[in-house]
Each structure stands twice: as C-alpha cells, then as structure tokens.
Amino acid sequence: MVLELQKPRPVWQIMFSTHHTDVGLLYLIMSIAFLFLGGTLALLIRAELFFPGSQIIADSMTFNRIFTVHGTTLIFLFLLPSASAVGNYFVPIMVRYKDMAYPKLNAIAFWMIPPAGALIWLGFADFTWYATPPYSIISSPGPAADMWIFGLKILGISSVLGAINFVVTILKCKHPDMSIGQVPLLAWAFLSSSLIVIVAIPTFAAALLMLLTDRLGVTGFFNPVMGGDPIAYAHLFWFTFHPEVYVLVIPAIGMMYEIIPRFSRKPIFSKSSGIFAFVLLSVVSFSSWAHHMYATGMSFTEKTVFMLGTLAAVPASGMHVFNFVATMWNGRIKFLTPMMWSIGGIALFFSAGAGGVANAAMPLDFTTHDTYWVVGHFHLFVMGTIAFGTIGFIYYMFPYVTGRMYNETAGKIHFILSFIGTVLVFFTQHVLGLYGMPRRIFDYPEIPEWIVMNQIATVGAMIIGVSMLIFLINLIHSSAKGKPADIHDPFGLGGKYYYPFESKNPHH
Amino acid sequence: MRELLGLFLVLAILVIIPTVDHVFAAADEPGEYIDRRVLIWNLFFRMMVAAFTVGAVVSGTMIWLCWRFRESHPKATPTEYEKSGEFGAPA
Amino acid sequence: MGHHSNWPEWIYVGVIIAIMCWVGAEAWNVERLVEHVPADAETIIVTGQQWFWTFEHEDGTKEVGTLHVEAGKAYKFEVVSTDVNHSFNIHDYVVLMDAIPGRVNTVWFAPDKAGEHDIQCREYCGLIHYNMRGKLVVEDPLT
C-alpha cells in the first residue's frame, strides 16, 4: 500500500489519486524539487556577493529578481508544501481515519501549487517577497509582477483549502474513541497552524487584489498619488505573514515532537504543555505583526504595544525547548540522522529566538532594521529550525515512503555539513548587519569588514550546497537501491510508530 | 478580596502616573544632548550579555544531555518505557 | 505517561517571563530617551527619490547627496519621499527612518565630532537601491 516505490505503479495512478499518502508523496517530491531550485538561486546570490562589484550576475535587475524568487520559492513552494506532505502522510493515521476528510479537495489543493509555481518562475518578479507598494505599483515591470500576484493568490487559496481539510480531519474525523487530548502532538501542530492559516491568509488575499487593481490604475488603495497609503499594505501584509512564520515553525516543532521522544526512547515529557504552547503560540502570533514596521514612523505607543506582543511569544516557544530537553533527560538516545537534525534544529531555534528578542526591543531597530542582521535572523528560523526539522522528518519517513533505508553515513555527513554551513552563513550575516550592510543589495562598497564577512557567508553557503547535493544523491539512490527497511522498526528503537503497515483504505 | 484589589489598583495608579509624568517631564537643557549611539549600543550589549548567558546555559545543557544520555554511554540503561514499548504511538 | 513534578517547568517559565519583562522595560526606557527631540534642534528636510537623497536646511540651502552639519548641534530630520519607499540611514550615528511617500517621519541626532560618514538607503527601492548612497560631513563649529 504505502510502499510506493517498492511496488511500482504507473505514475498517473499516483498523480490522479486522491489517497492521502499519494497526495503526500506528490507534495513531498514537489517541495524537494523547489528546495533545490530555490537553493540554487541562493547560491547564485552568495556567489555574486563574494566580491564587491558585478561578477556572475549581469545587472542589479536580474539580482533583484533572483532574490525575490528565491524567497517566494522557499517559503511558499518548499516550506509550506513540505509541511503539507508530512501532514498528509501522518494526520489521518494519527487520528485513525481512512483518509483526509475531503480527499478530492486535498488533491485540488495540491494541484493548484504547480501552476502557481510556474507563474512565479516564468514571471520572475523583482519587487521582493513582500511586494512593497508604491514600488510594486508604479515601478515594478509587468507582466512579471502580475504573474507573481496571481501565483500568490492561487497559493493562498491552496493553503486555505489544505488548512480547512486538516482542521476538519482532526476535529471531525478522529476516531470516536479518541479524545482531543489523545491526538498526538504532530497532529495538534497541524491543527494549530491550520487555524492560523484560516484566520491570517484572507487578509493578504484581499491585499493582493487591491495591489492588482492598483497596478491596473483603477484604484489607489496603496498609491499615495491617488490618496492611498503604502503603510496600509504593510499592515495587511504583516498581519498575514507574521502569523505565517508560526504556520511554518509549528509543524516543524510538531515533527521534532515525533522524533525526539522516539529516539530518546521515552514518552514526551509533558504533552499537555506542548498542546498549551501550540495553542498559545497560535493566539499570540497575531499580536506582533507590526514589529516589522518600527521604522515606518510608528508612534511610541504603537511600538511599545507590538514589542510586548512580540515578547509574549517567547514563553510559549521556551516551553517547547523545555519539553525537548526534559524528554531527552534520562533517555537512551540513539543518534541517527533524524534525531541529529532535530537537535540541531532546537539549538538553532534558540539562537533565532534570542535574535528575535533583540529585534523586538524597539531601539535596536535603528541598528538592525533591513540589514543583514535581519536576513541572518529569519534564515536561522526558516533554514536552521524549520528546514532542519523538516529534513530530519524526511529522513524519518523515508523508510515508510519507500520501504527502503537511506544511507545513514551520508545522512550524518549531510547534517554535519549543513549545520556548519548554516552557522557560518547566518551567524556571520548577523555581524554583517551590525556593520550596517543593507539587505537586498546587488553590490556593496569596498569596506574590508563587509568583504571578509560576505566571503565567510559565501563559503558557508557553498558548504550547504555540497551537503544538499549529498542529500539529493542519497534520496534518489536509496529510494531505488537502498537496503529494504524493517518496516515495523526501521530505526531499531522498539516502541510503536505511526507507520500503518496494513492500510484500511487501499488505493482507489 | 475585591476591596483589596481596588486598593492595589488605586495605589498603583497613585504611584505609576506620577512616575511616568516625572519621567516625561525631564527638562531639556540647551546644548546638552543625549548620544543615541551610546544609549542604543549599550542596550544592545546588555541584551547580548543576557542572550549569551542564557544561550550558554541552554546549549551547555543540551551538549551535556547528548553526551550523558547517548546510547553508548557506559552508564546508559534502558528507560523504564522500553520494555512495554510505551513510547510513541499507542497500541 | 510519566509522573513527574511540574515545578521545574513553572520556574523556568517564570524566569523567561522575568527576562522578557526586563528586556521590555530596558527597551522602553531607551526608546523614550532616544525619541525625545530636543526643542532647539534644527530641521533638515530629507527627500528620498530613485536613487538619491536631497537635503534642505532651515535657511533654505539645498544639497544633493552630501549633507553638511556642524558638530555640537542637534538636528531633526523630516524624512519624505517623492516616489517609492526608501529608508534614510546614517549607520555610524544609528540614525534610521523610512521615507514613505505621503508621510513625514522624523528622527534626530546630535553629531559630536567632525568627520565623514556614509549615508545609505536601507529599504528596497529598485534598480539602483544598492548604490543609493550619500555622505554626511560633520564640520567643526565656525566660531
């Protein structure tokens, strides 16, 4: 049943299937493809910044397009779909239901993503991943910008459909014997993040439409020349995309909640505090959006309110870290690849969080806002925490998906190189920001400190690039030629897995 | 209880509003300006001292945990949950 | 599930909340001091446009790209934009304020020593954002 690659089926049977593991497989393959596409763009950016001046990218317009598509791709076409992949595989199993609540809707939500990805990549817009007006209205060349807007519109609808599906599956389709408190933490993570999506995304969806009509010249919501206000867009955008950070990070933490107890051979220290922290995070995620906008001329009072709202998220995040540490305590930890990625992810989660607290302190905005500090900070989240958790989980579910084992040594090398690379790139970028280098610049003046730190960051990025190549080879080779996995206990840990060995719902 | 709460509220208002007032009423002295570089960078370094202290505790704990509770540690013993397989998914 | 004490977690959460209160209070205090514009500050109107800065002093003199100020005086920048968003930044003096069309944002500073410093744009504004740079020249008082 789930051993897709062991019992080959014609590819269209997977493509036109509505079975949750098939849709999950599609999500997984697509998100890994976009991980490599977006990662290649990152390497291009880093290579260009190795020396001041223009080397490999011809002009600043191309560079601006590259970092725009890099960010859009990795957030919307890698992180979100890879979380959906995990959710599709595991949520129905965890709530003991035969499939997702709405299988066809599930497949539709997936199939909206490739056209959206095509719009984004074929357009190659240049207005950064947050499309600031008035630049995006009066200055950004079409049709790239319009294609980006439509692409994001489609992705937003897809996210909302997926989120509705998860919420209904978990709340309405869970086994009647199961109380909501018995739902595993990974499924709770999807419940929390899906609720955030449903509340947050419509705001941005509206803003996108307003942006489009502004570009067409029929309205002036965000165009000051027509009496509009660009700051209104910033509020609408961040009201969606600050919570979106938690939409990304909560499933990653849920994945760590699946891996860490298993590889420590202990139950989770406190499930109730995990649930509590998830719910608390999804509520306070809506109290901090304007901390992205301290420099736009906000009043002292506004800044204070949003600083407090931001700091309020810290205790809940800290509870997760406590839970992980307390779970590992007195355990018997087996350091296989998934566990290493999870522990690395927690360490970087702390670093990213500490940087986030510094960002929330409003006067520090004068030094760090829109510099490489910010780039380093959020990359520690998206790469160091979310991608680490996700990649660890991809290794963890690999035997379940393919019926074979990945190469353990290659997996460990992948982790070690990625960890070193991540620390080199993103910690250096923090310091670079303190030296005042603005983000989103194609070229920089020959300031010796800037040159050295850019070069360190580039070397780190190349190390990550090499490690990801190892990952790709490992995935492809092992899924075809890897050792057959003992599907009842592929990691030799004892205990029970959420791997269904006999499906109640064969492929239809 | 309610009276007590009310009393505290009144006291808090009596103390807080004058403090805030006092703080904002700080008079300007012409020619004497605060140096924003000093204030902001000092704040930054105070925050970093706190962050690195907490970071040392957290990462130190995690490194010790990984060292002490690894499978290959001489004192490693099976956890109490291993025999029954009572971790992970319920039966 | 384990039968364990919850006290360590409560203490831990308490410590986090205490640290966050400290961070908030410190930040609030510094922000309050930094935002208080001295009454005798001279106003300079800073205009950002794709892709250069223009400065207008109180006496009406205009400068493009390079800003001359005197050490020992306080200056209040009124930052405006004529096209898209920019961000006016003198990193050495920790001065930063967005230039948003349709708004006047203010930020102030008091240079203390003669010298030259970089001015740059920190908000993405298009093609030549990377080179939207200027110079701040702090001069000794003439007296």
Side-chain angles (χ1 to χ4, degrees), chain C residues 102-138:
Chain C
R103 291 196 173 215
V104 180
N105 291 335
T106 54
V107 63
W108 76 280
F109 85 131
D112 56 350
K113 265 207 298 272
E116 283 199 7
H117 304 278
D118 283 336
I119 292 174
Q120 57 186 7
C121 174
R122 259 206 217 166
E123 183 65 77
Y124 178 71
C125 56
L127 198 61
I128 312 183
H129 164 58
Y130 70 93
N131 206 15
M132 185 170 165
R133 305 181 71 84
K135 261 268 155 319
L136 169 77
V137 180
V138 184

Short mmCIF file of all heavy atoms in Angstrom, two decimals, chain C residues 102-138:
data_model
loop_
_atom_site.label_atom_id
_atom_site.label_comp_id
_atom_site.label_asym_id
_atom_site.label_seq_id
_atom_site.Cartn_x
_atom_site.Cartn_y
_atom_site.Cartn_z
N GLY C 102 3.92 60.50 1.00
CA GLY C 102 2.68 60.86 1.68
C GLY C 102 2.83 61.00 3.17
O GLY C 102 1.87 61.29 3.87
N ARG C 103 4.04 60.76 3.72
CA ARG C 103 4.23 60.87 5.16
C ARG C 103 5.47 61.70 5.45
O ARG C 103 6.38 61.75 4.64
CB ARG C 103 4.47 59.51 5.79
CG ARG C 103 3.26 58.65 5.77
CD ARG C 103 3.44 57.50 6.73
NE ARG C 103 2.17 56.80 6.80
CZ ARG C 103 1.69 56.24 7.88
NH1 ARG C 103 2.39 56.23 8.99
NH2 ARG C 103 0.52 55.65 7.87
N VAL C 104 5.47 62.30 6.62
CA VAL C 104 6.69 62.97 7.09
C VAL C 104 7.11 62.26 8.37
O VAL C 104 6.40 62.30 9.38
CB VAL C 104 6.43 64.46 7.38
CG1 VAL C 104 7.72 65.11 7.87
CG2 VAL C 104 5.92 65.16 6.14
N ASN C 105 8.22 61.56 8.32
CA ASN C 105 8.72 60.86 9.51
C ASN C 105 9.90 61.64 10.08
O ASN C 105 10.68 62.20 9.32
CB ASN C 105 9.19 59.45 9.15
CG ASN C 105 8.03 58.57 8.78
OD1 ASN C 105 6.89 58.81 9.20
ND2 ASN C 105 8.28 57.54 7.99
N THR C 106 10.01 61.66 11.39
CA THR C 106 11.11 62.44 11.96
C THR C 106 12.04 61.54 12.77
O THR C 106 11.63 60.55 13.38
CB THR C 106 10.58 63.54 12.89
OG1 THR C 106 9.74 62.95 13.86
CG2 THR C 106 9.84 64.59 12.12
N VAL C 107 13.30 61.94 12.76
CA VAL C 107 14.33 61.29 13.57
C VAL C 107 15.38 62.37 13.82
O VAL C 107 15.53 63.29 13.02
CB VAL C 107 14.89 60.05 12.84
CG1 VAL C 107 15.58 60.43 11.54
CG2 VAL C 107 15.83 59.26 13.73
N TRP C 108 16.06 62.28 14.96
CA TRP C 108 17.03 63.36 15.25
C TRP C 108 18.35 62.76 15.69
O TRP C 108 18.43 61.60 16.10
CB TRP C 108 16.48 64.28 16.33
CG TRP C 108 16.56 63.68 17.69
CD1 TRP C 108 15.71 62.78 18.23
CD2 TRP C 108 17.55 63.92 18.68
NE1 TRP C 108 16.09 62.43 19.47
CE2 TRP C 108 17.23 63.12 19.79
CE3 TRP C 108 18.69 64.74 18.74
CZ2 TRP C 108 18.01 63.10 20.95
CZ3 TRP C 108 19.46 64.72 19.89
CH2 TRP C 108 19.11 63.91 20.99
N PHE C 109 19.40 63.60 15.61
CA PHE C 109 20.69 63.19 16.14
C PHE C 109 21.52 64.43 16.44
O PHE C 109 21.19 65.54 16.01
CB PHE C 109 21.42 62.24 15.20
CG PHE C 109 22.23 62.88 14.11
CD1 PHE C 109 23.55 62.49 13.89
CD2 PHE C 109 21.68 63.85 13.30
CE1 PHE C 109 24.30 63.06 12.88
CE2 PHE C 109 22.43 64.42 12.28
CZ PHE C 109 23.74 64.03 12.07
N ALA C 110 22.56 64.25 17.19
CA ALA C 110 23.46 65.36 17.54
C ALA C 110 24.89 64.89 17.32
O ALA C 110 25.46 64.22 18.16
CB ALA C 110 23.25 65.77 19.00
N PRO C 111 25.47 65.23 16.17
CA PRO C 111 26.85 64.81 15.90
C PRO C 111 27.79 65.50 16.88
O PRO C 111 27.58 66.66 17.22
CB PRO C 111 27.10 65.29 14.47
CG PRO C 111 26.12 66.37 14.24
CD PRO C 111 24.93 66.06 15.08
N ASP C 112 28.79 64.78 17.34
CA ASP C 112 29.65 65.38 18.37
C ASP C 112 31.07 65.65 17.88
O ASP C 112 31.80 66.41 18.50
CB ASP C 112 29.69 64.48 19.62
CG ASP C 112 30.13 63.07 19.29
OD1 ASP C 112 30.22 62.74 18.09
OD2 ASP C 112 30.37 62.29 20.22
N LYS C 113 31.49 65.02 16.79
CA LYS C 113 32.86 65.18 16.33
C LYS C 113 32.88 65.41 14.83
O LYS C 113 32.03 64.87 14.11
CB LYS C 113 33.67 63.92 16.65
CG LYS C 113 34.43 64.00 17.97
CD LYS C 113 35.67 63.12 17.97
CE LYS C 113 35.43 61.65 17.81
NZ LYS C 113 35.18 60.86 18.98
N ALA C 114 33.86 66.19 14.36
CA ALA C 114 33.99 66.37 12.92
C ALA C 114 34.38 65.05 12.28
O ALA C 114 35.10 64.24 12.87
CB ALA C 114 35.05 67.43 12.64
N GLY C 115 33.89 64.83 11.06
CA GLY C 115 34.24 63.59 10.39
C GLY C 115 33.30 63.33 9.21
O GLY C 115 32.35 64.08 8.98
N GLU C 116 33.59 62.26 8.49
CA GLU C 116 32.74 61.89 7.35
C GLU C 116 32.09 60.55 7.60
O GLU C 116 32.72 59.63 8.12
CB GLU C 116 33.59 61.79 6.07
CG GLU C 116 33.93 63.13 5.48
CD GLU C 116 34.35 63.00 4.03
OE1 GLU C 116 34.22 61.89 3.46
OE2 GLU C 116 34.79 64.01 3.47
N HIS C 117 30.83 60.43 7.27
CA HIS C 117 30.11 59.18 7.48
C HIS C 117 29.27 58.86 6.26
O HIS C 117 28.89 59.75 5.51
CB HIS C 117 29.23 59.29 8.72
CG HIS C 117 29.99 59.67 9.95
ND1 HIS C 117 30.69 58.76 10.70
CD2 HIS C 117 30.18 60.87 10.53
CE1 HIS C 117 31.28 59.38 11.70
NE2 HIS C 117 30.99 60.67 11.63
N ASP C 118 28.98 57.55 6.11
CA ASP C 118 28.18 57.12 4.96
C ASP C 118 26.70 57.32 5.22
O ASP C 118 26.21 57.09 6.32
CB ASP C 118 28.43 55.63 4.67
CG ASP C 118 29.76 55.42 3.97
OD1 ASP C 118 30.23 56.37 3.32
OD2 ASP C 118 30.32 54.31 4.09
N ILE C 119 25.98 57.70 4.18
CA ILE C 119 24.52 57.69 4.22
C ILE C 119 24.09 56.64 3.20
O ILE C 119 24.66 56.55 2.12
CB ILE C 119 23.95 59.07 3.83
CG1 ILE C 119 24.30 60.10 4.90
CG2 ILE C 119 22.44 58.99 3.62
CD1 ILE C 119 23.90 61.51 4.51
N GLN C 120 23.12 55.83 3.56
CA GLN C 120 22.68 54.82 2.60
C GLN C 120 21.17 54.65 2.67
O GLN C 120 20.52 55.12 3.58
CB GLN C 120 23.40 53.49 2.83
CG GLN C 120 23.21 52.94 4.24
CD GLN C 120 24.04 51.69 4.49
OE1 GLN C 120 24.85 51.30 3.67
NE2 GLN C 120 23.82 51.07 5.63
N CYS C 121 20.64 53.94 1.66
CA CYS C 121 19.22 53.62 1.66
C CYS C 121 19.09 52.18 2.11
O CYS C 121 19.74 51.29 1.58
CB CYS C 121 18.62 53.77 0.27
SG CYS C 121 16.91 53.21 0.19
N ARG C 122 18.22 51.94 3.10
CA ARG C 122 18.11 50.59 3.63
C ARG C 122 16.81 49.90 3.23
O ARG C 122 16.57 48.77 3.61
CB ARG C 122 18.19 50.64 5.16
CG ARG C 122 19.56 50.26 5.69
CD ARG C 122 19.37 49.72 7.08
NE ARG C 122 20.46 50.11 7.95
CZ ARG C 122 20.40 49.99 9.28
NH1 ARG C 122 19.29 49.55 9.85
NH2 ARG C 122 21.41 50.32 10.03
N GLU C 123 15.95 50.59 2.52
CA GLU C 123 14.69 49.94 2.11
C GLU C 123 14.74 49.72 0.61
O GLU C 123 15.09 50.64 -0.13
CB GLU C 123 13.49 50.81 2.49
CG GLU C 123 12.13 50.22 2.19
CD GLU C 123 11.87 48.97 3.01
OE1 GLU C 123 11.56 49.10 4.21
OE2 GLU C 123 11.96 47.87 2.44
N TYR C 124 14.40 48.52 0.18
CA TYR C 124 14.50 48.19 -1.24
C TYR C 124 13.69 49.18 -2.07
O TYR C 124 12.52 49.42 -1.81
CB TYR C 124 13.97 46.78 -1.47
CG TYR C 124 13.99 46.39 -2.93
CD1 TYR C 124 15.18 46.14 -3.56
CD2 TYR C 124 12.82 46.31 -3.66
CE1 TYR C 124 15.22 45.82 -4.90
CE2 TYR C 124 12.83 45.98 -5.00
CZ TYR C 124 14.04 45.73 -5.61
OH TYR C 124 14.07 45.41 -6.94
N CYS C 125 14.35 49.79 -3.08
CA CYS C 125 13.66 50.80 -3.88
C CYS C 125 13.92 50.63 -5.37
O CYS C 125 13.69 51.55 -6.14
CB CYS C 125 14.05 52.20 -3.42
SG CYS C 125 15.82 52.50 -3.47
N GLY C 126 14.44 49.48 -5.76
CA GLY C 126 14.54 49.21 -7.20
C GLY C 126 15.97 49.12 -7.72
O GLY C 126 16.90 48.79 -6.99
N LEU C 127 16.07 49.45 -8.99
CA LEU C 127 17.26 49.18 -9.79
C LEU C 127 18.57 49.56 -9.10
O LEU C 127 19.49 48.77 -9.01
CB LEU C 127 17.11 49.96 -11.10
CG LEU C 127 18.01 49.52 -12.24
CD1 LEU C 127 17.71 48.09 -12.62
CD2 LEU C 127 17.79 50.42 -13.44
N ILE C 128 18.69 50.80 -8.60
CA ILE C 128 19.99 51.25 -8.10
C ILE C 128 19.92 51.42 -6.59
O ILE C 128 20.67 52.19 -6.00
CB ILE C 128 20.46 52.52 -8.85
CG1 ILE C 128 20.29 52.27 -10.35
CG2 ILE C 128 21.92 52.82 -8.58
CD1 ILE C 128 20.75 53.36 -11.24
N HIS C 129 19.02 50.67 -5.95
CA HIS C 129 18.94 50.69 -4.49
C HIS C 129 20.31 50.47 -3.88
O HIS C 129 20.70 51.12 -2.91
CB HIS C 129 17.96 49.63 -4.04
CG HIS C 129 18.06 49.28 -2.58
ND1 HIS C 129 17.90 50.21 -1.60
CD2 HIS C 129 18.31 48.11 -1.95
CE1 HIS C 129 18.05 49.63 -0.41
NE2 HIS C 129 18.31 48.36 -0.60
N TYR C 130 21.08 49.56 -4.46
CA TYR C 130 22.37 49.19 -3.87
C TYR C 130 23.35 50.35 -3.86
O TYR C 130 24.31 50.35 -3.11
CB TYR C 130 22.97 47.99 -4.61
CG TYR C 130 23.44 48.29 -6.02
CD1 TYR C 130 24.75 48.66 -6.27
CD2 TYR C 130 22.56 48.20 -7.10
CE1 TYR C 130 25.18 48.92 -7.55
CE2 TYR C 130 22.98 48.47 -8.38
CZ TYR C 130 24.29 48.83 -8.61
OH TYR C 130 24.71 49.09 -9.88
N ASN C 131 23.12 51.32 -4.73
CA ASN C 131 24.08 52.42 -4.80
C ASN C 131 23.42 53.76 -4.46
O ASN C 131 23.89 54.81 -4.86
CB ASN C 131 24.71 52.47 -6.18
CG ASN C 131 26.08 53.11 -6.14
OD1 ASN C 131 26.65 53.27 -5.05
ND2 ASN C 131 26.59 53.51 -7.28
N MET C 132 22.33 53.72 -3.70
CA MET C 132 21.68 54.97 -3.30
C MET C 132 22.39 55.45 -2.04
O MET C 132 21.90 55.33 -0.94
CB MET C 132 20.20 54.71 -3.05
CG MET C 132 19.42 55.98 -2.74
SD MET C 132 17.69 55.64 -2.73
CE MET C 132 17.08 57.11 -1.93
N ARG C 133 23.59 55.97 -2.25
CA ARG C 133 24.44 56.31 -1.11
C ARG C 133 24.72 57.80 -1.09
O ARG C 133 24.65 58.48 -2.11
CB ARG C 133 25.74 55.51 -1.16
CG ARG C 133 25.52 54.02 -1.24
CD ARG C 133 26.83 53.26 -1.26
NE ARG C 133 27.47 53.32 0.03
CZ ARG C 133 27.19 52.51 1.05
NH1 ARG C 133 26.28 51.59 0.91
NH2 ARG C 133 27.81 52.64 2.19
N GLY C 134 25.07 58.30 0.08
CA GLY C 134 25.43 59.71 0.21
C GLY C 134 26.51 59.86 1.25
O GLY C 134 27.05 58.87 1.75
N LYS C 135 26.84 61.11 1.57
CA LYS C 135 27.89 61.37 2.55
C LYS C 135 27.38 62.36 3.58
O LYS C 135 26.69 63.32 3.24
CB LYS C 135 29.10 62.03 1.85
CG LYS C 135 30.24 61.14 1.48
CD LYS C 135 31.33 60.99 2.42
CE LYS C 135 32.19 59.78 2.39
NZ LYS C 135 31.80 58.48 2.21
N LEU C 136 27.72 62.11 4.82
CA LEU C 136 27.45 63.08 5.87
C LEU C 136 28.79 63.68 6.26
O LEU C 136 29.72 62.96 6.59
CB LEU C 136 26.82 62.39 7.08
CG LEU C 136 26.74 63.25 8.34
CD1 LEU C 136 25.61 64.25 8.23
CD2 LEU C 136 26.56 62.38 9.57
N VAL C 137 28.89 65.00 6.17
CA VAL C 137 30.13 65.68 6.56
C VAL C 137 29.84 66.49 7.82
O VAL C 137 29.04 67.41 7.79
CB VAL C 137 30.66 66.58 5.44
CG1 VAL C 137 31.95 67.25 5.88
CG2 VAL C 137 30.87 65.78 4.18
N VAL C 138 30.46 66.10 8.92
CA VAL C 138 30.30 66.84 10.16
C VAL C 138 31.48 67.79 10.27
O VAL C 138 32.64 67.38 10.22
CB VAL C 138 30.25 65.90 11.37
CG1 VAL C 138 30.00 66.69 12.64
CG2 VAL C 138 29.20 64.83 11.18
#
